[in-house]
Amino acid sequence: MPLRLTQALANVLYVLQHDPPPHYPYHLAKRTAVTQGAIYNLLDRLEEHGLVTSDLEDIDPKVAGRPARRHFALTVAGRERATTLTQARPPLLPRVP
């Protein structure tokens, strides 16, 4: 299924491209005002299209006291596509204090 250029997609691509890593779903959801449920679906679709990769944090959950978090990064193709798509539909990001 092709990616539809939505405002949520433009916002997420912009943040992935311009904010410093690591990019966790919680951070992306908060930064883009996309719900956490929707952010996972969007990131999974981006990964299916080869625009992002994901990895699990390299931690010991018992030591950290929490499960490892999944983080995302743009691929080379994702960076190129993000530039093109965010020029076509500029991001509208909420102000984050």
Side-chain angles (χ1 to χ4, degrees):
M1 172 155 84
L3 280 175
R4 202 174 85 234
L5 181 54
T6 62
Q7 194 63 58
L9 177 64
N11 290 354
V12 169
L13 288 172
Y14 182 87
V15 170
L16 284 168
Q17 190 173 33
H18 292 93
D19 283 11
H23 301 290
Y24 300 105
Y26 174 79
H27 163 77
L28 291 168
K30 186 173 180 175
R31 181 78 170 87
T32 61
V34 174
T35 65
Q36 285 195 20
I39 202 82
Y40 282 99
N41 290 333
L42 198 144
L43 290 167
D44 287 342
R45 280 188 309 186
L46 288 171
E47 193 164 28
E48 288 169 11
H49 285 272
L51 301 179
V52 298
T53 58
S54 68
D55 288 305
L56 282 179
E57 239 179 344
D58 186 20
I59 64 163
D60 181 346
K62 289 182 182 180
V63 173
R66 61 173 175 77
R69 295 180 289 186
R70 192 170 159 205
H71 56 92
F72 294 82
L74 286 172
T75 62
V76 172
R79 286 201 172 283
E80 293 169 2
R81 189 87 185 269
T83 299
T84 303
L85 292 176
T86 55
Q87 286 173 351
R89 183 173 207 146
L92 299 172
L93 299 173
R95 292 185 186 263
V96 178

